[in-house]
Amino acid sequence: MLQLLTLLLAVALGVALYKLRQHRQGLRALEQAVRQNQRFLLEEGPAHFGADWGRLCNAINASSEEINRLQQYRSSQLAQLEATLGSLQEAVLIVDDRNHILLANHALQGIFPDAKNIMGTRLELVLQSREFLDYVESVRAGKSPAQQPIEFVRGNESIWAEVTGALVPPLDGQKDKWALFVLHDITRQRKLEALRKDFVANVSHELRTPLSVIKGYVETLVDSHRDMPIEDRDRFLNTIQRHTERLNSLLDDLLTLSRLESINPGLARESIALPDLISGLIDDYRGRPSGAQHQLFISIDPAIGSVLIDPLKITQIFENLIDNALKYTQAGSRIDVSARLREKEVEICVRDNGWGIPAEDLPHIFERFYRVDKGRSREKGGTGLGLSIVKHIVQLHGGRVWAESQPGQGSAFYFTLPQRD
Ligand code: ADP
């Protein structure tokens, strides 16, 4: 009897252990499915535990499907947000409360090319500006400051951006404050504004000098011309005339520049035999008193035929370059004008053996009002605008312009014109 009981107990224990193992296996499979967020197949659970396991599996499957659906919704929303931010011209940046970057759109790289893979990086390592960090703090403090132009440092240059910031409403359970910033690049406007201010200041300065000389001399003449020795009066009148001419040339050059820089610079191209144009010009110079004091030579490749140019404007280039060669050399020195064919263009050179231009000035001489020696340029009647006029006309013709020089040995000014096909 005891033996039978022991046997029955052993069988019951065996069955219980078997079912327990099946449960464990089922639970493990279930745990794995939950971890991997996959559907749990009923067949993977214990076969004979019917209804309870069925309900548990259905509930878990339903919640895993819901999680999948929410995840898909979140990723599509994120993709939509990224696409929207990516297509914006303005740079957008989100930072957490310790200034770690949580999100930055592609436009930020347009302003700051080094801002690649910056998620998680501290803000101040990417955008260098004390002013911006103060702005971030005031946004975080809820002061919501107005749009503000802020200067950033990028290497040796300054970048200007108009910045707007706002706090991002916290999500459920989120404790730290996120802040969002929109940066609109205004560097180009700032540079243009600075150029315009510089230009106005330069023009005023250039006009003021001859005007104040004229005013002073006219006042003296008005007050005392009756008692003045005739030589002094002549000297005064000559000075007034010289400065009036200077004002005239300055206004002429300013007008020419403004026409060349306008939307319609009025280029009247025609087919012109370049060798004839150059020889005619040089003959003309040889007949003038200033040209007669110098030795003028020309060397033109006979293969150069006609070119499609605006003859008046190209003449203006030659006049500016030859006038400079006459101004910045001693009397008796040599000026060579040459033209040769180079691939699909004609390369023209005006060379002198005058004072030359120091290497540090050479990159700037085509800028408006740039002069190496202000006193010498003014004394020779220069306006500081001749070479920028040359540059504009060459560029309008689709050519290039540059200069080479050795101080004490002379300068060579080159420009190219496209050759006709
Ligand atoms: P400017 O009216 O003063 O001559 P430009 O624009 O023609 O103005 O020239 C700019 C400056 O470049 C001049 O002031 C002068 O210092 C320098 N420069 C131009 N041509 C020569 C040259 N042939 N030799 C030496 N310096 C020159």
Side-chain angles (χ1 to χ4, degrees):
M1 185 64 185
L2 193 67
Q3 270 184 337
L4 187 66
L5 210 62
T6 316
L7 189 68
L8 278 173
L9 260 173
V11 171
L13 199 66
V15 171
L17 276 174
Y18 170 73
K19 289 203 168 175
L20 194 68
R21 224 176 72 210
Q22 265 195 325
H23 267 299
R24 275 217 192 112
Q25 276 173 354
L27 280 172
R28 244 178 261 130
L30 189 63
E31 187 191 343
Q32 204 178 356
V34 170
R35 269 187 206 286
Q36 294 173 350
N37 211 14
Q38 283 170 348
R39 258 188 90 74
F40 181 73
L41 301 171
L42 255 182
E43 309 83 67
E44 287 171 22
H48 317 290
F49 283 83
D52 287 348
W53 263 93
R55 273 198 300 278
L56 181 63
C57 292
N58 285 340
I60 285 175
N61 282 340
S63 73
S64 111
E65 268 161 29
E66 182 61 12
I67 290 172
N68 278 337
R69 194 187 62 76
L70 286 173
Q71 270 179 347
Q72 264 173 15
Y73 176 68
R74 186 170 161 265
S75 359
S76 78
Q77 277 209 322
L78 271 178
Q80 221 174 14
L81 180 69
E82 278 187 346
T84 313
L85 291 182
S87 65
L88 282 182
Q89 300 254 311
E90 275 78 19
V92 180
L93 193 71
I94 297 180
V95 292
D96 69 8
D97 59 352
R98 284 173 301 140
N99 277 358
H100 287 125
I101 297 172
L102 300 174
L103 186 143
N105 71 346
H106 193 67
L108 191 80
Q109 265 181 49
I111 310 179
F112 303 94
D114 296 337
K116 285 183 197 130
N117 305 322
I118 51 167
M119 305 306 166
T121 314
R122 286 187 69 88
L123 189 61
E124 55 269 37
L125 298 178
V126 183
L127 308 183
Q128 275 132 34
S129 164
R130 180 69 255 164
E131 219 184 326
F132 182 53
L133 292 180
D134 291 344
Y135 184 86
V136 172
E137 282 319 309
S138 60
V139 168
R140 197 169 283 127
K143 290 186 191 140
S144 51
Q147 198 176 49
Q148 192 174 311
I150 292 182
E151 185 181 11
F152 296 86
V153 181
R154 189 177 72 191
N156 293 333
E157 45 173 347
S158 285
I159 304 287
W160 282 90
E162 199 112 281
V163 183
T164 324
L167 278 176
V168 178
L171 301 173
D172 285 347
Q174 181 193 323
K175 289 198 194 78
D176 56 346
K177 284 182 184 166
W178 293 358
L180 177 143
F181 299 93
V182 178
L183 286 78
H184 176 63
D185 190 358
I186 51 164
T187 313
R188 208 177 114 78
Q189 284 106 296
R190 285 271 162 159
K191 282 189 179 158
L192 284 175
E193 237 169 76
L195 270 180
R196 193 184 55 77
K197 278 188 193 154
D198 260 16
F199 182 67
V200 172
N202 275 325
V203 171
S204 321
H205 177 76
E206 294 292 333
L207 292 176
R208 193 177 300 127
T209 320
L211 271 178
S212 58
V213 174
I214 294 169
K215 185 170 176 275
Y217 278 60
V218 168
E219 277 169 4
T220 320
L221 278 173
V222 168
D223 288 347
S224 42
H225 69 281
R226 285 188 191 85
D227 322 316
M228 212 181 238
I230 193 133
E231 314 80 68
D232 281 359
R233 215 170 50 199
D234 284 353
R235 197 164 48 83
F236 274 38
L237 287 169
N238 278 334
T239 312
I240 292 172
Q241 188 185 27
R242 222 180 46 247
H243 285 277
T244 315
E245 274 161 12
R246 204 175 133 197
L247 272 182
N248 218 15
S249 335
L250 191 67
L251 291 176
D252 277 351
D253 280 0
L254 280 171
L255 262 177
T256 308
L257 251 190
S258 99
R259 263 190 227 117
L260 290 171
E261 286 177 357
S262 68
I263 299 170
N264 181 11
L267 205 63
R269 286 184 198 252
E270 32 180 308
S271 176
I272 297 286
L274 195 65
D276 295 350
L277 184 133
I278 300 177
S279 330
L281 253 164
I282 298 299
D283 282 347
D284 192 24
Y285 266 98
R286 284 188 182 126
R288 296 186 199 175
S290 56
Q293 289 175 3
H294 288 73
Q295 307 171 61
L296 289 159
F297 294 95
I298 40 175
S299 139
I300 300 172
D301 184 343
I304 301 174
S306 10
V307 276
L308 205 57
I309 51 169
D310 180 330
L312 289 179
K313 292 200 169 60
I314 296 295
T315 303
Q316 217 169 353
I317 297 186
F318 279 109
E319 282 179 349
N320 272 312
L321 295 181
I322 298 171
D323 283 347
N324 278 352
L326 296 173
K327 277 193 290 190
Y328 303 112
T329 53
Q330 263 146 358
S333 50
R334 175 185 174 121
I335 298 167
D336 285 277
V337 180
S338 60
R340 60 175 175 155
L341 275 176
R342 280 194 128 222
E343 292 177 9
K344 289 198 144 189
E345 50 186 21
V346 182
E347 184 186 277
I348 297 137
C349 174
V350 177
R351 181 186 298 277
D352 64 58
N353 58 355
W355 293 299
I357 300 164
E360 65 270 22
D361 294 303
L362 213 47
H364 304 289
I365 53 170
F366 292 95
E367 291 167 14
R368 293 186 291 201
F369 295 115
Y370 193 89
R371 292 157 162 135
V372 179
D373 182 337
K374 286 193 175 56
R376 184 178 280 168
S377 156
R378 291 213 179 98
E379 176 202 309
K380 303 269 182 184
T383 60
L385 295 173
L387 288 181
S388 46
I389 291 177
V390 167
K391 188 176 95 181
H392 270 88
I393 300 179
V394 172
Q395 287 176 347
L396 280 177
H397 280 83
R400 296 168 292 121
V401 62
W402 69 100
E404 292 169 5
S405 185
Q406 281 292 327
Q409 290 184 23
S411 316
F413 286 83
Y414 294 88
F415 67 96
T416 62
L417 293 172
Q419 170 76 325
R420 287 185 81 170
D421 290 327

